[in-house]
Amino acid sequence: MLRRTMLPILLLGVLACRGRAEGDETLERTPQAEPSHLTGQDGEVGISLDSATVTRIGLETTELRTIARVAERELPATVVVDPEATSFVRAGVGGRLAAIEGAPWPRFGARLEAGESLAVIGDARPVMVARGGTVSRVLVQPGEMVQAGQDLLEVTRYDAPLVQVTWAASLPEPPGTLAFSRGSGPRVRGALVGPAPEADPVTREPAFLYRVAGGWKGMRPGAAASAWLPDQRGPARGLFVPAAAVVQWDALAWTYREREAGRFVRVRVPTDHPVQGGWLVTGGLAAGDRVVTRGAGQLLSEEFRARLVVGEEVGE
């Protein structure tokens, strides 16, 4: 009786062993992608990637070249309210405001041109726009009774915004013009208006006002910008490292230099001398070096993933 009971158990054990063996053979036959791994050479630690990973990340590199350009200091700036940019459309006489047929009453954000007819009040002459701009407040609506001299619309011009620049006491006297930018957008010039009526609310440093010609799309009071002050103390020549090649790690700036195909080394980038679109660098890199300009962030992730695999500290 015992023999009959043990027989099915033995058969199940044999089948299980065979299944595990077949599973192991299947795993051995399945090709495994080699992970990114760290490599060392000449005291440097780099990351090596296979061609498939390079393609997946979409890495692109560029060759560093020497440029002759004055270094700059980036100063914080903010668009502020400009009283001179605001005007009002007012009622010339009292009466009931009526929209002109085929010309709807302007809404917030509408663009108005000087001399444009907007509405009529009773049988009087049409309400005219004296100074063009963007409607920033709608104060009345057609059908309402208005009085002579009453404000109907507030109109603001944004084509020459007023920008406040924080000015540290260690800086030289503010120049007559400065370059301004928002993010990586194009630069525009601003002319000095004079000292701001109040110090910077955060740093308590003095501030100066500049009127920017042209401005940028969406430039409204409160928008952040950057002012660029030429820094004659910086080097006149150096390597231009584009901003796209720089990644931030541990509060420092780095770039990945290509040692050979598929092998990259992370190198510190001094950010003491910013220039338009990047930095002017005089050490750590050489003309002709190729650095990663697309996919640098993904490369940083690959490096620290490889560090975890080999058991290294990520912060090293």
Side-chain angles (χ1 to χ4, degrees), residues 70-299:
V70 176
E72 298 171 304
R73 293 188 64 168
E74 183 178 4
L75 306 177
T78 306
V79 182
V80 295
V81 176
D82 181 8
E84 297 181 7
T86 301
S87 61
F88 291 89
V89 176
R90 294 186 170 95
V93 296
R96 189 176 300 278
L97 181 70
I100 298 176
E101 185 177 356
W105 186 243
R107 297 181 178 181
F108 174 81
R111 174 70 186 175
L112 302 180
E113 300 296 336
E116 185 177 351
S117 297
L118 300 179
V120 294
I121 300 175
D123 297 328
R125 295 173 58 187
V127 176
M128 307 285 290
V129 178
R131 184 181 177 188
T134 301
V135 176
S136 48
R137 281 197 300 165
V138 179
L139 303 174
V140 298
Q141 293 291 339
E144 296 182 21
M145 296 295 295
V146 298
Q147 298 181 6
Q150 182 177 342
D151 295 334
L152 308 179
L153 298 169
E154 180 188 76
V155 181
T156 304
R157 296 181 65 98
Y158 297 111
D159 55 347
L162 199 61
V163 181
Q164 179 170 305
V165 183
T166 301
W167 209 265
S170 59
L171 295 176
E173 289 295 315
T177 62
L178 277 179
F180 291 85
S181 68
R182 288 194 67 195
S184 59
R187 293 190 176 191
V188 294
R189 302 296 300 183
L192 178 65
V193 175
E198 297 180 356
D200 182 271
V202 177
T203 66
R204 309 310 305 171
E205 296 279 5
F208 289 86
L209 298 176
Y210 282 79
R211 188 170 299 284
V212 176
W216 304 274
K217 182 179 180 181
M219 193 159 183
R220 300 292 186 268
S226 295
W228 298 93
L229 176 68
D231 187 3
Q232 301 297 338
R233 299 172 304 171
R237 294 179 62 84
L239 295 174
F240 174 68
V241 179
V246 177
V247 293
Q248 299 291 326
W249 171 256
D250 200 20
L252 298 173
W254 306 84
T255 189
Y256 279 96
R257 176 175 57 195
E258 186 180 36
R259 276 296 195 187
E260 56 193 47
R263 183 173 184 272
F264 306 90
V265 176
R266 184 160 50 90
V267 181
R268 275 282 310 278
V269 176
T271 55
D272 302 329
H273 307 297
V275 293
Q276 183 174 3
W279 286 269
L280 192 65
V281 176
T282 57
L285 295 162
D289 285 347
R290 300 196 68 86
V291 296
V292 176
T293 51
R294 181 179 178 185
Q298 291 93 325
L299 197 55

Side-chain angles (χ1 to χ4, degrees), residues 17-35:
C17 292
R18 181 179 300 176
R20 283 197 298 270
E22 291 177 352
D24 293 341
E25 291 177 1
T26 302
L27 289 175
E28 291 177 359
R29 291 194 300 268
T30 303
Q32 301 294 317
E34 293 188 6

Side-chain angles (χ1 to χ4, degrees), residues 40-81:
Q41 180 179 333
D42 299 330
E44 297 178 329
V45 176
I47 180 74
S48 293
L49 308 177
D50 57 25
S51 58
T53 303
V54 171
T55 301
R56 174 176 58 82
I57 295 177
L59 289 184
E60 293 181 3
T61 62
T62 190
E63 182 178 315
L64 296 182
R65 300 183 181 275
T66 301
I67 62 171
R69 190 179 302 177
V70 176
E72 298 171 304
R73 293 188 64 168
E74 183 178 4
L75 306 177
T78 306
V79 182
V80 295
V81 176

